[in-house]
């Protein structure tokens, strides 16, 4: 009989003390299942608010790593370096888990699976439902990643780095909304300034593409050199798509056309569907963004 997977819940917090109690409690109140809750870690990245007091309230239940501010990328990297479970479930401190999250995800921790993602419920600053239907995930709080596989991709500047495992065919996607994703004015990601979020995503995708390229000579256990070449091109194409979107949002239509040829070449090399390329091309020609900027209510949608 196989040993149940040990899961580390790691909460990333910088000045989100007002939300932290709910995040910690959601980890403590997970339904039992075919897993072991190995540990709950809070990485306090230089908070100056009530984060320390909230952690003290949960003393004995959580391990707290408190240090000067080093940024999101280092906190995400440390979530894997400093934990010791078989799998890591990172959680932004302003979000929280559904009680069935770990139980449901543990059911998929078998075979060659190394990466699990699931849908989310989008809520407002007070935790009230913003969207009528669950939303596809992919962000930090909607992932559970095999720790050994994740270590081969570190350091990570963003959770997109772990999407490489999915593109390598080692991931599964669940449509269960197992995280409550909070949208509020002080969210880390600025989705209201034209092009800013897209430029950031492009930089992350290019960095990941370069990282995968550097691994060609000594591929990890979860991919061959051939697979690494393919997914490196996939993320290069994604980066180009984000550059197109950034330029369109900034109303720079000529600049939006510049990444189009490179995006096509990378898409063909990755053997991906041409649909995203056609959408980006149409967007650049028409000058119409594919992603709407955040409204006053904090909502965002794709056109």
């Amino acid at each position: 009989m196989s040993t149940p997977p040990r899961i580390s819940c790691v909460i990333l917090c910088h000045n989100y003390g007002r939300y932290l109690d709910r995040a910690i409690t959601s980890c403590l109140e997970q339904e039992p299942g075919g897993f072991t809750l190995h540990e709950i870690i809070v990485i306090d990245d230089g908070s100056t608010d009530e984060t320390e007091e909230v952690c003290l309230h949960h003393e004995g239940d959580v391990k707290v790593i408190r240090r000067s501010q080093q940024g999101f990328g280092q906190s995400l990297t440390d979530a894997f370096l400093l934990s010791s479970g078989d799998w890591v479930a990172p959680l932004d401190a302003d979000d929280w888990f559904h009680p069935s999250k770990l139980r449901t995800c543990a059911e998929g921790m078998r075979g060659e699976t190394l990466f699990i993602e699931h849908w989310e419920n989008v809520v407002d600053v007070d935790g009230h439902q913003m969207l009528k239907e669950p939303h596809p995930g992919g962000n930090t709080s909607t992932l559970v990643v095999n720790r050994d596989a994740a270590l081969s991709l570190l350091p990570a500047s963003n959770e997109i780095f772990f999407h490489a495992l999915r593109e390598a065919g080692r991931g599964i996607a669940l449509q269960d909304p197992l995280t409550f994703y909070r949208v509020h004015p002080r969210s880390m990601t600025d989705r209201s300034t034209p092009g800013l979020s897209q430029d950031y995503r492009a930089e992350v995708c290019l960095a990941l593409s370069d990282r995968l390229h550097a691994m060609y000579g000594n591929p990890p256990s979860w991919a061959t050199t051939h697979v690494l070449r393919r997914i490196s091109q996939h993320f290069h194409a994604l980066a180009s798509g984000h550059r197109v979107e950034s330029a369109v949002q900034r109303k720079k239509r000529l600049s939006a056309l510049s990444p189009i040829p490179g995006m096509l070449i990378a898409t063909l090399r990755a053997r991906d569907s041409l649909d995203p390329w056609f959408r980006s091309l149409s967007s650049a020609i028409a000058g119409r963004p594919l992603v709407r900027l955040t409204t006053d209510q904090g909502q965002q949608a794709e056109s």
Side-chain angles (χ1 to χ4, degrees), residues 59-75:
E59 189 173 16
D61 292 324
V62 302
K63 175 183 178 181
V64 181
I65 298 170
R66 185 171 296 111
R67 77 302 180 75
S68 58
Q69 186 177 1
Q70 298 180 33
F72 174 75
Q74 187 60 54
S75 292

Side-chain angles (χ1 to χ4, degrees), residues 78-93:
D78 286 345
F80 293 87
L81 292 177
L82 302 177
S83 59
S84 57
D86 304 310
W87 290 74
V88 176
L91 175 62
D92 287 330

Side-chain angles (χ1 to χ4, degrees), residues 8-302:
S8 299
C9 292
V10 186
I11 303 172
L12 315 180
C13 185
H14 172 67
N15 285 340
Y16 279 165
R18 58 197 178 284
Y19 306 126
L20 181 58
D21 182 77
R22 192 164 198 176
I24 294 174
T25 301
S26 75
C27 296
L28 291 170
E29 296 182 347
Q30 286 294 300
E31 298 171 357
F35 70 95
T36 298
L37 179 55
H38 181 62
E39 60 191 346
I40 301 172
I41 300 174
V42 176
I43 299 179
D44 178 4
D45 190 43
S47 297
T48 56
D49 61 357
E50 64 268 39
T51 293
E52 183 175 1
E53 287 75 15
V54 175
C55 290
L56 287 172
H57 177 72
H58 290 281
E59 189 173 16
D61 292 324
V62 302
K63 175 183 178 181
V64 181
I65 298 170
R66 185 171 296 111
R67 77 302 180 75
S68 58
Q69 186 177 1
Q70 298 180 33
F72 174 75
Q74 187 60 54
S75 292
L76 182 61
T77 296
D78 286 345
F80 293 87
L81 292 177
L82 302 177
S83 59
S84 57
D86 304 310
W87 290 74
V88 176
L91 175 62
D92 287 330
D94 52 341
D95 303 332
W96 73 94
F97 290 154
H98 188 279
S100 66
K101 164 152 177 158
L102 300 187
R103 172 180 60 78
T104 303
C105 290
E107 295 172 0
M109 296 175 184
R110 55 179 178 267
E112 296 190 343
T113 300
L114 299 173
F115 174 92
I116 299 171
E117 61 183 318
H118 56 74
W119 287 35
E120 63 192 3
N121 287 308
V122 180
V123 300
D124 63 17
V125 64
D126 297 316
H128 301 136
Q129 201 86 5
M130 284 181 61
L131 303 179
K132 293 181 180 179
E133 300 295 332
H135 186 269
N139 55 61
T140 308
S141 303
T142 64
L143 308 181
V144 186
V145 188
N146 179 276
R147 180 174 180 272
D148 286 343
L151 291 176
S152 67
L153 290 162
L154 300 181
S157 60
N158 182 276
E159 67 274 9
I160 291 173
F161 270 59
F162 306 121
H163 292 187
L165 298 170
R166 176 189 64 202
E167 298 304 321
R170 305 299 294 273
I172 61 174
L174 309 174
Q175 292 191 4
D176 307 72
L178 301 175
T179 288
F180 294 87
Y181 175 74
R182 195 190 305 264
V183 176
H184 56 92
R186 296 182 65 182
S187 293
M188 286 188 298
T189 304
D190 182 348
R191 296 185 177 90
S192 60
T193 303
L196 190 63
S197 176
Q198 302 302 321
D199 285 343
Y200 169 68
R201 291 175 180 274
E203 291 173 2
V204 171
C205 288
L206 280 177
L208 176 54
S209 178
D210 290 343
R211 178 75 53 79
L212 295 168
H213 185 276
M215 297 165 69
Y216 289 176
N218 186 25
S221 60
W222 47 269
T224 63
T225 298
H226 174 74
V227 170
L228 291 174
R229 290 182 188 279
R230 178 179 58 79
I231 61 178
S232 175
Q233 291 298 314
H234 167 80
F235 286 103
H236 195 282
L238 281 182
S240 295
H242 289 309
R243 292 296 191 203
V244 173
E245 176 66 21
S246 171
V248 173
Q249 287 186 9
R250 298 175 191 270
K251 303 185 185 303
K252 297 182 177 180
R253 294 176 64 180
L254 289 178
S255 297
L257 291 169
S258 178
I260 291 293
M263 183 180 181
L264 176 59
I265 293 171
T267 299
L268 293 173
R269 288 176 174 172
R271 299 181 182 179
D272 288 344
S273 167
L274 287 172
D275 288 347
W277 180 78
F278 279 118
R279 287 197 295 270
S280 291
L281 176 62
S282 298
S283 174
I285 293 174
R288 184 177 63 250
L290 294 173
V291 179
R292 297 176 186 171
L293 295 177
T294 305
T295 65
D296 292 339
Q297 287 74 38
Q299 296 181 354
Q300 180 186 30
E302 293 188 2

